[in-house]
Amino acid sequence: MKKRIFDLTGIVLILGTWVLCWLFVMQYGVFGSKVDWISQHSVIPDYFRQRFYATGDLFPDIAWNLGGGQNIYNFSYYGLFSPVILLSYLLPFVEMDHYIMFTSILSFSASSFLFYQWLKRNLSDRVLSRAAAVLFTLATPLLYHSYNQLMFVNYMPFLCLALLGVDAYCQKRKKGLLIAGVCGMILTSFYFSIGGMAAIMLYVLTKFERRENWKKTGVKMFQRGTRTAGVLFLCVCICGILLVPTALVLSSRGQSGGGGISSLSWTLMSPLRLLYSPYGVGMSALGIVALLGNIFPGSRRQDRLLSLGLVILFTVPVFGWILNGGLYVKDKVFIPFLPLVVLEIARYIQELKRTAWIKNKRRMAFHILPYLAAAAFICIQRDTAGFRQYWLPALADCALMLLLYLVYLKFNRYPLPVFGACLILFFSGWMVNKNSANMIPAETYEKTVQTDVTKAMKEILEEDTGWYRMEEQAGGAEELADIDRIRDIRQNVTSMYSSAYNEDYMEFRNKTFGLNQHFRNSMMQAVSDNPLFLQLMGVKYVTGQKAPAGYQLLKEGKDGNLYVNESVSPLAYVTSDTMGEEAYRTLHFPENQTALLQKAVVKDADSTAKQGETLESMSACGFSIPEQNTKKGKIEKTDYGWEVEAKEELQLTIPLDSLGENQDLLALSFRLTNKKPNQDVYIRLQGQTNRLTAENHEYANHNRDFSFTVQPDMEKRQVTLILGKGHYEISNLKAYGGNLESLQANSKKLYQNPLEQVSIEDNQLTGKVETSRAGYLITSLPFDEHFRVYVDGKEVQTEKVNTAFLGAQVPKGNHTITIAYRAPGKTAGLLLTGGGGFLLFLDKVKIKRRSRKKKNGMRRNVQKAA
């Protein structure tokens, strides 16, 4: 009978998660979000799979196709070795985004089911176990991040499996479940596995029998703690192939977002770390009450220690900083402690039931103290950033929990506080998901992933088998969705969006070359519509509704046209036309852009050009923003430039009377000072956008120096300028005019010795080049010291060229050039994984010998007795 009830409970939990997914998300669109899901979590795993099908390599080193070509461990966070993603390699007939949706829902269901299996082994009350399992399922982050930030919760089934493994390990010394759970957690989401392992250790250290004395308890805590730490270390070793190269990638770049240890706030934690928010534990006020109630005298020692440990973790800022890898203090890293919080809630209610028969007013008054303390904490923290709109509902939540406690104390039958908390989380979850504004309507999703552009791109890739880049310029949200999208493994792009990146390439885009930044997130290295950058990076084909400067229409399509530019730079070539990097650094906008189309920048060149030779650039021209004062806003001329107060977007038409007759390029630069620094500001010139992010945004782009390089309307000799909403100053404005065709003509000499017959095989590419003079191999692959360049099989010294890209010296003649890449730490990671596997094998052998010895001893005892 118990088995039937158990089976029914598990089935109900699984079906319940699917109902929640439909009710909260899928009735409004697909099970995905507009931000990171569609631009990262669904497309980067698809790239991993495409690359595997093309190469057959399960342990790749480089992503040739993304961000100009970078270390693939820059993208490892998105499931490079996740068992869930690796399983999709066996299903080539299933679209990756559909697979991600299905497995995300399945992961949510598995988390709920496995949590219940673990919880019922720790509680004697079956009704309470089921209610607490529902409470866990309704926790705000689980469903919300199953379709938003997958890595925040997709490790949860493995964490619950590991907690089951802890019980098996402590009771029977069996490690299988624990190792499987921890390894799965690390491989799925290594960032959150740190918090997951901390939760496991905290659970182990507080797992002891109530009847044990303190001395015996201390010894057992130490023994179990050290043994479990050893198992966790073994799991880390097994996952070395992921962790070592990823750690080296992350340690090689500076901080981004947050402010490191200087950002620590030595105050009480925000209540949103525990209450309602999907970026925290996402519990009701009962969570705070239970943790405080378990700390008070009278509770079981193991509950007291576990709750005290959780309270210390949640309230001492340094722990949040450590769990965030020393980058910042964010509440998301506490999500792995959700199972322990719900366990403590259930134990708190179970303890109330055990002591409810004691009709002692003094004890009852003592039990009310946690509710009063929780209410006081909520009131004290009511002005905390982000909590202002929640504090009154949270106070009401606390009052409801107190009322349900009193009723529960009276009747002592059903766990009413847990039922009430479930009801509160249901409605708070409904509101959080409904108001997230991130859901994707089915029509939008279909338009993004299934377009005739894909077909046109594949046709061109079949016809043109050269080595070049092909990008999509859909604009706005569609462009964000495509930032990491590779529709065919032969497609190469300059864009990328990842938590890790090549710093030289980022610096080149944002500072050296001065690309316009049209997304607010500093990590979004978007597709550019700057014609000089497209030329430099070898973007031969572009899709979109409008032809970039220098491109010609090739094919028309319903969802976008395909354009081509035959004059762009080869992705690799050999030249002797060079200029010194020191001289290049003295150039200002726009000479810093145009010079790279005429000279290759190398460190040791002596001068900018040969004697008497000059570089073509752009000439200064007039550009003035007209003053106006309307209901929409005010533009006022000042001594330093212009001051803009726009209540809404202002669109202006700027005549270009001073632009030369044959000048079809306009370059514009100025300094923008935001008078309302906590609001975004954007300015758009001829469709090209620059944006300055609000200072309080965690990934603010700090883009205060705006630059544009656009093609004006040559028939009307004008440009359209859009000033976004806000209050800001424009100063130091400079404008220049130039001729794109002339600049491209000068580039032909630079590109006359391209790398041809290029073939890419896994982690290396090979091509042939013919040059009549010794020179430099110039590529648009972001420089990484772990590249190796071979000329006719002989390794040559790599150099950084054009300030950020891979290069090397090449003698004159006909040569075969090979460029190979080996991810740093991969060898050490493979050795660590092999070592971990060997230790696991030895442990298995040891266990079998011990078991055999035990059986033989029992057999001998039986024989002696006979």
Side-chain angles (χ1 to χ4, degrees):
M1 187 67 182
K2 286 183 178 179
K3 188 174 181 180
R4 284 181 59 193
I5 293 174
F6 157 72
D7 289 341
L8 181 60
T9 302
I11 292 171
V12 168
L13 284 172
I14 291 171
L15 293 178
T17 56
W18 286 78
V19 169
L20 286 174
C21 290
W22 178 85
L23 187 64
F24 286 2
V25 184
M26 297 177 71
Q27 66 168 319
Y28 305 110
V30 301
F31 200 72
S33 70
K34 294 177 181 177
V35 189
D36 290 351
W37 184 89
I38 200 167
S39 61
Q40 291 178 303
H41 299 297
S42 64
V43 294
I44 296 179
D46 184 52
Y47 172 65
F48 294 154
R49 187 170 70 168
Q50 286 188 61
R51 196 189 188 286
F52 171 74
Y53 289 159
T55 65
D57 186 6
L58 271 175
F59 304 102
D61 292 79
I62 186 171
W64 295 107
N65 311 74
L66 288 169
Q70 301 194 16
N71 187 331
I72 202 165
Y73 287 92
N74 281 336
F75 307 94
S76 63
Y77 180 64
Y78 304 98
L80 181 59
F81 298 125
S82 166
V84 177
I85 301 302
L86 292 177
L87 183 62
S88 73
Y89 292 10
L90 302 175
L91 305 170
F93 49 86
V94 178
E95 295 291 336
M96 181 58 78
D97 39 12
H98 295 165
Y99 179 83
I100 294 294
M101 291 182 211
F102 177 76
T103 53
S104 296
I105 297 173
L106 197 62
S107 175
F108 180 33
S109 301
S111 300
S112 177
F113 180 79
L114 291 171
F115 176 79
Y116 173 69
Q117 302 306 310
W118 173 65
L119 192 65
K120 73 185 186 67
R121 286 165 172 75
N122 285 273
L123 297 176
S124 58
D125 189 329
R126 285 290 177 265
V127 175
L128 180 57
S129 297
R130 295 171 192 134
V134 174
L135 184 66
F136 171 84
T137 304
L138 291 169
T140 317
L142 286 187
L143 175 56
Y144 182 84
H145 289 302
S146 291
Y147 71 96
N148 277 282
Q149 299 275 6
L150 306 189
M151 307 312 172
F152 288 20
V153 295
N154 62 357
Y155 59 86
M156 193 62 74
F158 297 104
L159 174 56
C160 293
L161 189 67
L163 291 171
L164 278 166
V166 169
D167 292 340
Y169 183 51
C170 292
Q171 294 167 9
K172 303 178 182 178
R173 299 291 295 275
K174 293 184 176 181
K175 304 175 184 176
L177 280 181
L178 179 57
I179 292 173
V182 175
C183 287
M185 182 171 60
I186 293 172
L187 294 173
T188 303
S189 185
F190 63 83
Y191 187 88
F192 286 88
S193 69
I194 300 171
M197 287 188 282
I200 289 169
M201 285 302 299
L202 184 59
Y203 176 59
V204 166
L205 292 175
T206 57
K207 188 175 176 58
F208 50 83
E209 298 297 327
R210 182 176 181 179
R211 62 179 177 273
E212 295 173 355
N213 58 46
W214 277 111
K215 184 177 180 180
K216 190 175 180 181
T217 295
V219 172
K220 279 201 169 185
M221 286 173 65
F222 178 77
Q223 290 176 341
R224 285 179 175 172
T226 52
R227 286 200 299 263
T228 306
V231 176
L232 297 185
F233 177 74
L234 175 62
C235 295
V236 169
C237 291
I238 292 172
C239 300
I241 182 57
L242 171 69
L243 296 178
V244 176
T246 300
L248 290 178
V249 158
L250 294 175
S251 63
S252 67
R253 68 177 181 87
Q255 291 182 0
S256 59
I261 196 167
S262 61
S263 66
L264 289 179
S265 175
W266 298 96
T267 59
L268 287 174
M269 69 168 186
S270 166
L272 290 179
R273 182 168 293 179
L274 269 171
L275 301 179
Y276 318 125
S277 170
Y279 294 93
V281 175
M283 271 289 106
S284 83
L286 184 60
I288 299 177
V289 170
L291 293 181
L292 294 176
N294 286 339
I295 292 173
F296 285 178
S299 61
R300 301 195 309 170
R301 280 182 296 152
Q302 64 182 120
D303 296 338
R304 199 181 310 162
L305 285 177
L306 181 52
S307 289
L308 182 61
L310 288 170
V311 169
I312 292 172
L313 273 169
F314 291 153
T315 54
V316 178
V318 71
F319 290 113
W321 180 74
I322 292 172
L323 291 173
N324 276 289
L327 297 176
Y328 32 56
V329 179
K330 291 185 180 177
D331 295 340
K332 64 184 182 182
V333 293
F334 294 100
I335 298 175
F337 296 93
L338 171 62
L340 298 186
V341 172
V342 178
L343 172 65
E344 287 302 273
I345 290 173
R347 283 177 169 174
Y348 169 73
I349 299 299
Q350 186 170 263
E351 188 68 11
L352 287 182
K353 182 177 181 179
R354 189 180 67 82
T355 59
W357 61 273
I358 303 175
K359 304 300 181 182
N360 187 311
K361 292 183 179 180
R362 184 178 178 183
R363 178 179 285 270
M364 190 177 77
F366 191 74
H367 282 174
I368 291 175
L369 286 179
Y371 297 88
L372 299 179
F377 171 67
I378 290 168
C379 291
I380 291 170
Q381 293 292 88
R382 64 183 181 275
D383 290 327
T384 304
F387 188 60
R388 294 182 184 92
Q389 58 180 325
Y390 292 103
W391 82 275
L392 282 176
L395 198 60
D397 179 4
C398 201
L400 176 62
M401 292 301 107
L402 176 58
L403 176 62
L404 292 175
Y405 158 71
L406 294 174
V407 175
Y408 179 64
L409 202 64
K410 176 71 175 176
F411 296 101
N412 192 23
R413 188 172 181 182
Y414 298 110
L416 295 180
V418 179
F419 291 165
C422 287
L423 189 64
I424 287 169
L425 288 186
F426 177 84
F427 285 108
S428 68
W430 177 291
M431 296 304 296
V432 165
N433 287 281
K434 188 176 181 181
N435 296 328
S436 70
N438 287 335
M439 295 179 187
I440 307 175
E443 302 78 20
T444 303
Y445 165 75
E446 292 294 335
K447 184 179 179 182
T448 301
V449 300
Q450 296 180 4
T451 67
D452 63 345
V453 172
T454 304
K455 182 180 178 181
M457 289 170 64
K458 288 180 177 292
E459 290 175 352
I460 290 298
L461 289 166
E462 289 287 345
E463 297 171 8
D464 187 346
T465 58
W467 187 35
Y468 50 84
R469 295 193 173 96
M470 174 184 286
E471 299 191 326
E472 300 179 61
Q473 293 188 359
E478 288 183 50
E479 194 165 293
L480 173 59
D482 295 333
I483 195 169
D484 281 321
R485 190 180 302 278
I486 300 297
R487 298 186 185 271
D488 188 286
I489 195 60
R490 295 163 295 183
Q491 179 191 1
N492 300 294
V493 299
T494 62
S495 61
M496 65 171 288
Y497 173 27
S498 176
S499 303
Y501 46 82
N502 183 295
E503 283 201 313
D504 286 324
Y505 184 58
M506 174 76 89
E507 177 77 10
F508 177 82
R509 288 175 58 102
N510 295 345
K511 303 296 182 183
T512 306
F513 198 83
L515 278 183
N516 58 301
Q517 299 181 48
H518 54 277
F519 287 128
R520 65 196 311 254
N521 190 323
S522 62
M523 293 187 181
M524 292 179 179
Q525 300 179 53
V527 169
S528 176
D529 49 2
N530 181 314
L532 303 184
F533 183 76
L534 296 175
Q535 170 92 6
L536 177 71
M537 295 300 293
V539 182
K540 186 176 181 180
Y541 297 98
V542 167
T543 66
Q545 300 296 337
K546 177 184 175 184
Y551 286 77
Q552 305 297 321
L553 177 64
L554 188 64
K555 289 185 179 181
E556 290 186 348
K558 180 181 65 175
D559 299 309
N561 302 324
L562 183 63
Y563 304 95
V564 63
N565 184 349
E566 299 285 356
S567 301
V568 298
S569 167
L571 271 58
Y573 58 92
V574 174
T575 184
S576 58
D577 279 343
T578 61
M579 69 181 298
E581 183 174 332
E582 185 177 347
Y584 175 78
R585 296 285 186 184
T586 64
L587 300 179
H588 300 289
F589 179 84
E591 288 88 353
N592 63 328
Q593 296 186 0
T594 58
L596 291 173
L597 304 187
Q598 302 166 74
K599 294 289 179 180
V601 176
V602 297
K603 192 168 187 179
D604 296 329
D606 296 327
S607 62
T608 60
K610 297 176 184 177
Q611 189 173 4
E613 183 182 5
T614 59
L615 297 179
E616 180 172 348
S617 185
M618 300 186 185
S619 57
C621 66
F623 190 95
S624 181
I625 302 174
E627 293 185 274
Q628 71 174 42
N629 191 354
T630 65
K631 291 181 180 180
K632 292 184 177 182
K634 178 182 178 183
I635 304 172
E636 183 179 0
K637 188 75 173 70
T638 63
D639 294 337
Y640 49 79
W642 291 265
E643 183 172 353
V644 180
E645 291 184 78
K647 298 177 182 177
E648 56 184 274
E649 186 177 273
L650 302 176
Q651 181 168 323
L652 308 169
T653 299
I654 311 295
L656 300 175
D657 299 329
S658 63
L659 199 65
E661 192 66 32
N662 65 339
Q663 291 182 327
D664 58 358
L665 279 184
L666 173 69
L668 188 71
S669 69
F670 54 82
R671 179 79 173 180
L672 188 138
T673 303
N674 193 358
K675 293 292 188 178
K676 294 182 178 180
N678 288 330
Q679 294 180 10
D680 282 14
V681 172
Y682 70 89
I683 292 179
R684 190 170 292 130
L685 179 68
Q686 203 67 4
Q688 191 174 106
T689 304
N690 257 301
R691 189 181 304 272
L692 172 61
T693 314
E695 289 183 0
N696 58 3
H697 187 263
E698 57 190 2
Y699 297 115
N701 62 17
H702 307 294
N703 179 34
R704 297 181 181 87
D705 293 307
F706 282 22
S707 62
F708 304 84
T709 303
V710 301
Q711 186 173 45
D713 183 338
M714 295 309 298
E715 291 185 7
K716 299 180 179 179
R717 302 189 66 75
Q718 64 185 29
V719 290
T720 300
L721 178 68
I722 294 176
L723 303 176
K725 179 181 177 181
H727 184 192
Y728 45 92
E729 296 175 351
I730 295 173
S731 59
N732 197 29
L733 187 147
K734 297 177 182 178
Y736 306 86
N739 182 267
L740 179 60
E741 186 176 350
S742 178
L743 289 170
Q744 289 177 337
N746 287 330
S747 299
K748 291 180 181 179
K749 182 181 177 183
L750 193 65
Y751 307 150
Q752 62 184 351
N753 300 315
L755 192 67
E756 298 178 323
Q757 302 176 40
V758 176
S759 62
I760 299 178
E761 296 180 5
D762 200 6
N763 300 312
Q764 74 173 36
L765 65 85
T766 303
K768 297 183 181 297
V769 67
E770 179 181 353
T771 175
S772 59
R773 298 178 60 184
Y776 283 84
L777 172 69
I778 306 297
T779 77
S780 53
L781 298 170
F783 180 80
D784 189 315
E785 62 183 8
H786 300 283
F787 273 112
R788 294 291 179 265
V789 176
Y790 301 87
V791 178
D792 300 325
K794 182 180 179 180
E795 184 175 357
V796 297
Q797 181 67 41
T798 60
E799 297 185 28
K800 190 183 294 185
V801 298
N802 286 347
T803 75
F805 299 97
L806 176 68
Q809 294 187 40
V810 177
K812 69 177 182 177
N814 297 331
H815 304 289
T816 298
I817 306 292
T818 300
I819 300 174
Y821 186 81
R822 180 73 172 179
K826 182 180 178 181
T827 301
L830 284 170
L831 290 174
L832 192 60
T833 294
F838 182 68
L839 289 175
L840 183 61
F841 172 74
L842 290 180
D843 186 64
K844 291 292 183 184
V845 171
K846 182 180 177 182
I847 291 173
K848 284 186 178 181
R849 285 180 178 175
R850 188 187 300 149
S851 177
R852 192 181 302 117
K853 188 175 180 181
K854 185 177 180 181
K855 286 180 180 179
N856 291 336
M858 292 175 63
R859 191 180 296 113
R860 284 194 295 268
N861 290 336
V862 170
Q863 290 174 352
K864 286 180 181 179

